[in-house]
Amino acid sequence: MTTPASSGDPDQYRLPTNVKATHYDVTIKTDLEKLTFKGLVKISLDVNAGTSAIVLNTSNLELGAATLYSNALSAEQAPTVSSFDKTQERTTFQLTQNLPAGSKAELKIAFSGELTGNMMGYYKSSWEHEGKTKHYALTQFEPTAARRAFPCWDEPLLKSTFSVTMISRADTVSLSNMPAISEEVLEHGVNVPSDLTELLADTKNEKWKITKFEKTPPMSTYIVAFANGHFKFLEDSVEMPLSKKIVPLRIYTTPDVIHQAQFALDVKKAVLPLYEKIFDVEYPLPKLDTLVASDFDAGAMENWGLITGRTSVFLLDPERGDLQAKKRVASVQSHEVAHMWFGNITTMEWWNYLYLNEGFATLMGEVIIPDRVFPEWRVNSEFITEHLNRALSLDAKPSSHPIEVDCPDANHINQIFDALSYSKAASVLRMLSSYVGEEKFLKGVSLYLKKKLFANSVTHDLWEGISESTGHNITALMENWITKIGFPVLTVTENERGIVVRQDRFLETGAADPKDNETVWNVPLSLVTAEDGKAIVDADVILEEREKFIPLDTSKPFKLNGGTTGVYRVLYTPERLALIAAEAAKDDSIFSLDDRIGLVHDALALSKAGLADLSSALTLVNLWKNEKEYLVWQGIGESLAGLVSIWWEHPKIVDQLNAFRRALFVPLVNKLGYEYPAGESRDTSLLRTLAVTQASAARDEGVVKELQSRFKHFMDTGDDSKIPSDLQRVTFAVAVRHGGGAEYDAIVKAHDKPKTPSERISAIAAMGATQDPELAQETLKFISTKAKDQDIFYFFSGLGNNFKTRRLLTKYFQDEYDVLYKRFEGNFSLHYLVTFSSDYYSSREDYAAIEAFFKDKDTSKYNQALAQTLDTIRARAAYVELARRATHLSVLLNDDNDHPRPTHAPRPYTPSSTLTATTH
């Protein structure tokens, strides 16, 4: 199995600095009929050191003639390509005359390429219009694909200005980062620039136009963007608070879905001025567009002035939009607008600092700013499940990586766009904000941005800004959180005088070996205690050593990690956890909603790691049967579903766990019903969706029959009014899971002609839910022959969630490996396919089989995902073995209310300490 490349000599992976590009004139001619593009790039160069060669990035381009004019030499020469390094995607031009240091030059290169459907570089996307397939073209350059569209110095540190000119058919729309300053129909002999004569020779008998765009500010190549197609748009504008400029806002789509774009436009209008005000830094561009793409590899992309992204993150049907889709559109649009500052104005120096872009965009774009626009959404509380717990789950694997990660080459760059760069980074920044106070935190961020306007930054630039605003030594406080792998579990032991808190690295496989347990983090404890029945939070107490004694009256309620702002888990004794759970269940509890969410995730994670009894975790859940908050139930449902998935090949245990799930969620279904009345709270609607989904997954007969009835009406009449949009996904899945060919065929039709992006995704998930082996093969065949590349991981996810099709999916992936690898090589999707096809196994035998399959493969483009997948299987297998030894598969207990309660008693965990931990 290939391991990640070592950084070694950085020059091996970075372009030479003998010349620096200062400005690009990029001309792109797009032919949507031939699905090709041609271009000419003129690059202004500063010669930093005398040189006889110029090295820059190109990939998948046919290079034409090149010329170079030197100011110092007052002469033009014709450099020749002396070598092309396919691995590093570099072309070397040999010069006939050396360029002297300190001089300036201009390099011109003609080039051409194909508009392929690989969703990288400048590529084609398709849509259906009046029964015919039509194409348009757009860019996706992050992280290293600008070189697929034009020759360039394709590294984030090498900022330049750009002037883009687009030549396109006269009936199309051309877009780029900046507004168009001119657009005119081409007339040969009248307005064709002399250096473009050859490029435009084949346009004489057709109607073409030339569109010139304003010059950009200094920017990195990965956020350059352009697009051409038959687009429609909605528009608005907003007055900015600092500059008082009126910034025009547009959202472009294909004509068939423009009616679903208004909400994303509204969100953009709401959030853009808030960023400018909070950061005290003006938005520097004269416009901000969004282009919605039918084919897109990532979720969305923050191209400066021209955000792009897939339909599911930007479109919302005003009549049929479900709440989760609405939240997704708002958070993604806000996240991408955050990048206009984090990433675009101030850009990380190299990809190992990716978190400076993505962690900030996640925290600002999905929490701090949306909380001001949609306070009823309680996004800070949602963050605990959607980001913090997700990050901790990944970071608990031995194959995790630090937030700031060595990132030498393109193969590794793609792989760090993960939950650590996004969710863990955001969680650590959120913890810091909570510790120093949000106002001071944001002030420090503003100072950081102002010092690095239109420049590049590293971690310490950020710490300097926040240190200045807070008076804290932020570097000392935060260094280990950014540069070290993992996070701690805090073990709390009690004596008559107080508590002792000890930190050790948390691993999903159990207590960490000494060699993996060397880091000591600075941990804000956020200690919650009670005084006169009110919560008192000590936000200043911090654990800076391996263990610490804290004086405390343990006869009163207390807990660590108040508000679940810390990036760690807390291990209490079973007795203390039961006391905390009982206190948290009270209506007037000193523990908050955010405390309860964190307690659920910690309890289940600690039990799966063998550090606590599962019975303790389920006692906590059982105490909260009368919980009213959706966000707590969401954590419970997610955790229980994870347990069921681990035991998927043990039907008796699955049945017992499902009985427990039914006992929890069916009463909620009975209470809330299936209808979504106008005006009800968002949380009530979400709780209903969750309860129905969990009850149906647990095979409750009444819920299944109700959903089947609603789908049958839709299948018989074509009328979907009995399927609320929020229940569409679960209804579709139940119909196929408990149905046959007729239901499956109806779902395929919904996939092919969806009313909304959400409906297509619901249909894909349902196609993977079939229990019929023949229909499962139909789904696999569909992947190979009909599915859009951007949707493949949805198919894999659906089949991987279905116990009946897991082994079929693994076999399909392995049988089709070469085809799939070639299809997705270089895409973000590749690592999802590796993970989703095999991370659900729970035995050593399957671990060995998966490992053996990849032994002779070149895994360099997904080695991190593979290592994480193998870690997951190993942890699941260890959990199953531990539980079987402890319980002999007898996992049913009955609580006082006769609800089935599974349990096991894992080995006691004692930290290697001079203190004695309570044995569990």
Side-chain angles (χ1 to χ4, degrees), residues 379-392 427 430 563-565 593-599 601 634 638:
V379 288
N380 191 58
S381 299
E382 282 195 339
F383 181 94
I384 297 166
T385 295
E386 294 187 3
H387 288 291
L388 175 59
N389 192 59
R390 175 173 172 247
L392 296 185
S427 299
R430 174 174 171 266
T564 316
T565 56
L593 165 65
D594 293 356
D595 287 321
R596 299 202 300 281
I597 299 169
L599 284 165
H601 289 305
Q634 181 191 28
E638 184 179 283

Side-chain angles (χ1 to χ4, degrees), residues 309-327:
R310 57 173 63 205
T311 57
S312 61
V313 302
F314 285 138
L315 297 184
L316 186 78
D317 189 325
E319 304 298 326
R320 295 279 298 167
D322 62 277
L323 287 174
Q324 292 290 17
K326 189 174 187 180
K327 166 71 168 27

Side-chain angles (χ1 to χ4, degrees), residues 414-519:
N414 256 12
Q415 297 190 59
I416 65 166
F417 286 78
D418 62 8
L420 301 173
S421 298
Y422 287 72
S423 297
K424 186 186 177 185
S427 299
V428 166
L429 293 169
R430 174 174 171 266
M431 176 172 67
L432 175 60
S433 174
S434 175
Y435 180 67
V436 303
E438 187 177 287
E439 186 177 342
K440 290 181 179 179
F441 174 78
L442 293 175
K443 175 63 176 176
V445 170
S446 175
L447 292 171
Y448 157 73
L449 290 171
K450 289 175 179 177
K451 287 180 181 178
K452 290 293 178 178
L453 287 178
F454 304 109
N456 296 79
S457 65
V458 298
T459 295
H460 290 286
D461 298 322
L462 173 64
W463 296 159
E464 285 177 13
I466 302 177
S467 295
E468 184 178 337
S469 69
T470 62
H472 289 283
N473 183 343
I474 300 298
T475 299
L477 181 70
M478 299 303 295
E479 190 76 4
N480 282 354
W481 291 104
I482 299 298
T483 61
K484 300 296 184 182
I485 191 172
F487 65 92
V489 52
L490 306 188
T491 303
V492 180
T493 53
E494 304 178 27
N495 59 38
E496 65 280 0
R497 295 181 297 116
I499 61 172
V500 175
V501 183
R502 176 189 169 87
Q503 62 166 298
D504 296 275
R505 182 179 171 193
F506 179 80
L507 289 171
E508 64 180 0
T509 47
D513 292 334
K515 66 180 176 60
D516 297 320
N517 192 28
E518 297 176 350
T519 303

Side-chain angles (χ1 to χ4, degrees), residues 59-60 86-89 116-121 140 142-145 148 297 410-411 414-415 789 792 813 816-834 858-862:
S59 179
N60 288 64
K86 185 176 181 180
T87 301
Q88 298 297 329
E89 299 182 329
T116 68
N118 62 9
M119 301 184 291
M120 293 187 294
Q140 170 57 39
E142 190 180 32
T144 58
R148 290 171 170 261
D297 184 31
N411 284 342
N414 256 12
Q415 297 190 59
D789 284 0
I792 297 301
F813 175 78
E816 299 292 318
Y817 174 83
D818 291 339
V819 173
L820 290 168
Y821 183 87
K822 186 175 181 181
R823 186 174 174 183
F824 293 101
E825 183 181 8
N827 288 148
F828 293 114
S829 301
L830 184 61
H831 78 270
Y832 289 118
L833 304 191
V834 172
D858 176 7
T859 65
S860 57
K861 293 185 184 298
Y862 56 82

Side-chain angles (χ1 to χ4, degrees), residues 37 64 171 178 213 223 280 336 401 470 500 530 536 578 588 607 659 697 700 730 786 806 822 862 915:
F37 66 93
D171 64 339
M178 302 294 284
F213 297 90
I223 52 174
D280 197 34
E336 302 309 327
H401 65 76
T470 62
V500 175
I536 304 295
D588 59 348
S607 70
D700 181 73
V730 63
K786 296 181 182 178
R806 284 181 167 178
K822 186 175 181 181
Y862 56 82
L915 300 165

